[in-house]
Amino acid sequence: MLPLDPAPEQMQEMGEAALAYMIEFLRQQPDLPAGGESGGLEAARALRESPPEVGGEFKPLMETVELAAAKAYGTTGPGYLAFIPGGGLFTASLGDLLATGINRFVNLWSAAPIVAQIEYNVVRWLCDLFGYPEASRGILTSGGSMANFSGIVAARKANLSEDFLDGALYVSDQVHTSVTKAAALAGFPERSVRIVPTTPELRMDVDRLRDMVGTDRRAGLRPFLVVASAGTTNTGAVDPIADVADLAAEEGLWLHADAAYGGFFQLTERGKAKFRGIDRADSITLDPHKGMFLPYGTGSLVVRDGERLREAHFAGAAYLQDLAGEDEIPNFSEYSPELSRDFRGLRVWFPLKLHGVSAFREALDEKLDLARVLYDGLHEIAELELPWEPELTVVPFRFRDGGDEPNKRLLERINASQRVFLSSTVVDGRFTIRACILSHRTHRDRVEECIDIVRRAAAGIP
């Protein structure tokens, strides 16, 4: 039986085995099936069990990890173009291993000042990326869902009283579902979430937004928040953020930018141009586990006026009186729903320090180029239509003629190649296939192969 504190030689043996597996797993990524091996559910059923009373061996557990990785979507591979890919940097994995190994408490700075400072370095860099002032603050979250939730709670606290059910918040019909879910969790009934129509380019229609805000005020509602998308999941559309910011300023609305998918394109010149006006947002959601290729579970929220974020989340307790209040380093628990949590900062700081910011900028510029390559290549396939040019790295397409069923068959044939894996959505009532290029391991060779796969698949469907 393995003791809770294994002997050093036991720890080294297990650590070397785990590290060797991870290195080999990452080496194999270009050759692994993009959609994963079949039989995942059957294998999962076979693993339904309770833990043993007496511990077992390490090797069978590693075999289970290998099986789990094989019988799942190939989210770390170059052919994974579905949903919003997550890359999984090796250096971030090392950071996570060390962070969980030292197991220091990050959320109250006096418990671990250096740990908290490292995380604050990350937050400060994110704030600086959007030109936020020194008074801005932020938190690292489990993902965009929790970041959007805290952003909405901060806006509610800043702009509404405790009786807030007459508040109205505005989102486009392309907004991510985490925003509407966050509104519900923040206590708003469905009627409070006002859905703003989009233009033919699937961007928020600011004229319609203005009309809706005025109509709601006259009806006795209190408009308090508008959410602009800096890259929608459906098509990668970017709302006219500067125009939304102008209206928000006129009407006294909190402007939240959901940049979970697109936000890190701010590192590129093309991204900055697309996101003009985002520096005026009161809060911004960013997902490092998307645009920085980090492991899932790495999200963030930055807020221009940090005190607003703190006012919405702070709650004191007598049992915390031995710990220092905020000083040079924030107490992150005072800005977040969480008190105890993992030290997320190291999985972000390790890659930034080891690779440098320029490595991420170059990778994101490459993804913008590759989206154009994919769009141009698919555009040459006569059977297809591409209703929207890529604003970022999502490329939607479908058959020019026919209903949903041919498009569903097309997606099945594309994914059957196991060289690429795409997903679908519904836009304007039509089944639409979409590819999203965001993995640091996806390069031109795989994108050109994807074009060939789609061409052959489309030609074989009547």
Side-chain angles (χ1 to χ4, degrees), residues 1 79 93 102-103 114 122 157 183 228 277 295 315 329 350 372 376 389 401:
M1 182 175 68
S93 300
I102 64 173
N103 196 35
I114 296 174
V122 173
K157 179 70 172 179
I329 307 171
F350 247 49
R372 192 73 217 185
D376 290 344
E389 292 195 30
D401 302 309

Coordinates of all heavy atoms in Angstrom, one line a residue, residues 1 79 93 102-103 114 122 157 183 228 277 295 315 329 350 372 376 389 401:
M1 N 0.9 -1.2 0.0 CA 0.0 0.0 0.0 C 0.9 1.2 0.0 O 1.8 1.3 0.8 CB -0.9 0.0 1.2 CG -1.9 1.2 1.3 SD -3.0 1.1 2.7 CE -1.9 1.3 4.0
G79 N -5.4 18.8 -35.8 CA -6.6 18.7 -36.6 C -7.9 19.0 -35.9 O -9.0 18.9 -36.5
S93 N 1.7 22.8 -18.1 CA 1.5 21.6 -17.3 C 2.6 21.5 -16.2 O 2.3 21.1 -15.1 CB 1.6 20.4 -18.2 OG 0.6 20.4 -19.2
I102 N 3.5 22.4 -4.4 CA 3.8 23.3 -3.3 C 2.6 23.7 -2.5 O 2.6 24.0 -1.3 CB 4.6 24.6 -3.7 CG1 3.8 25.5 -4.6 CG2 5.9 24.2 -4.4 CD1 4.4 26.8 -4.9
N103 N 1.4 23.7 -3.2 CA 0.1 23.8 -2.6 C 0.1 25.0 -1.6 O -0.3 24.9 -0.5 CB -0.3 22.6 -1.8 CG -1.8 22.5 -1.5 OD1 -2.6 23.0 -2.3 ND2 -2.1 22.0 -0.4
I114 N 4.7 35.8 -2.4 CA 5.3 35.6 -3.7 C 4.4 34.9 -4.7 O 4.3 35.3 -5.9 CB 6.7 34.8 -3.6 CG1 7.7 35.6 -2.8 CG2 7.2 34.5 -5.0 CD1 9.0 34.8 -2.5
V122 N 0.3 38.4 -13.6 CA -0.5 37.9 -14.7 C -1.7 38.9 -14.9 O -2.0 39.3 -16.0 CB -1.0 36.5 -14.5 CG1 -2.0 36.1 -15.6 CG2 0.1 35.5 -14.5
K157 N -24.2 45.4 -9.0 CA -23.9 46.2 -7.8 C -23.6 47.6 -8.1 O -24.0 48.5 -7.3 CB -22.6 45.5 -7.1 CG -22.2 46.2 -5.8 CD -23.2 46.0 -4.7 CE -22.6 46.5 -3.4 NZ -23.6 46.3 -2.3
A183 N -26.5 35.7 -16.1 CA -27.6 36.6 -15.7 C -28.6 35.9 -14.9 O -29.1 36.5 -13.9 CB -28.2 37.2 -17.0
A228 N -21.0 43.2 -25.2 CA -20.5 43.2 -26.5 C -19.6 42.0 -26.7 O -18.8 41.7 -25.8 CB -19.8 44.5 -26.9
G277 N -12.1 50.3 -29.4 CA -13.0 50.7 -28.4 C -13.1 49.8 -27.2 O -13.8 50.1 -26.2
P295 N -4.1 25.0 -20.5 CA -5.0 23.9 -20.1 C -6.4 24.5 -19.7 O -6.6 25.6 -19.2 CB -4.3 23.3 -18.9 CG -2.9 23.7 -18.9 CD -2.9 25.1 -19.6
A315 N -16.7 40.0 1.3 CA -17.4 39.7 2.5 C -16.4 39.3 3.6 O -15.6 38.4 3.4 CB -18.4 38.5 2.3
I329 N -0.3 44.1 -2.8 CA -0.8 42.9 -3.5 C -2.3 42.8 -3.1 O -2.6 42.8 -1.9 CB 0.0 41.7 -3.2 CG1 1.5 41.9 -3.3 CG2 -0.5 40.5 -4.0 CD1 2.4 40.8 -2.8
F350 N 4.4 30.8 -16.1 CA 5.5 29.9 -16.6 C 5.6 30.1 -18.2 O 6.7 30.3 -18.7 CB 5.2 28.4 -16.3 CG 6.2 27.9 -15.3 CD1 6.5 28.5 -14.1 CD2 6.8 26.6 -15.5 CE1 7.4 28.0 -13.2 CE2 7.7 26.1 -14.6 CZ 8.0 26.8 -13.5
R372 N -7.7 32.7 -43.2 CA -7.9 33.2 -44.5 C -7.6 32.2 -45.6 O -8.3 32.1 -46.6 CB -7.0 34.5 -44.7 CG -7.3 35.2 -46.0 CD -8.6 36.0 -45.8 NE -9.4 36.0 -47.0 CZ -10.6 36.7 -47.2 NH1 -11.0 37.4 -46.2 NH2 -11.2 36.6 -48.3
D376 N -10.4 31.0 -48.3 CA -10.1 31.1 -49.7 C -10.2 29.7 -50.4 O -10.7 29.6 -51.5 CB -8.7 31.7 -50.0 CG -8.7 33.2 -49.6 OD1 -9.8 33.8 -49.5 OD2 -7.6 33.8 -49.5
E389 N -17.2 36.1 -44.2 CA -15.7 36.1 -44.1 C -15.3 36.1 -42.7 O -15.9 36.6 -41.8 CB -15.2 37.3 -44.9 CG -15.4 37.3 -46.4 CD -14.5 38.3 -47.1 OE1 -13.4 38.6 -46.6 OE2 -15.0 38.8 -48.1
D401 N -26.8 24.7 -51.9 CA -28.2 24.3 -52.1 C -28.5 23.1 -51.2 O -27.6 22.4 -50.7 CB -28.5 23.9 -53.6 CG -28.2 25.0 -54.5 OD1 -28.7 26.1 -54.3 OD2 -27.4 24.7 -55.5

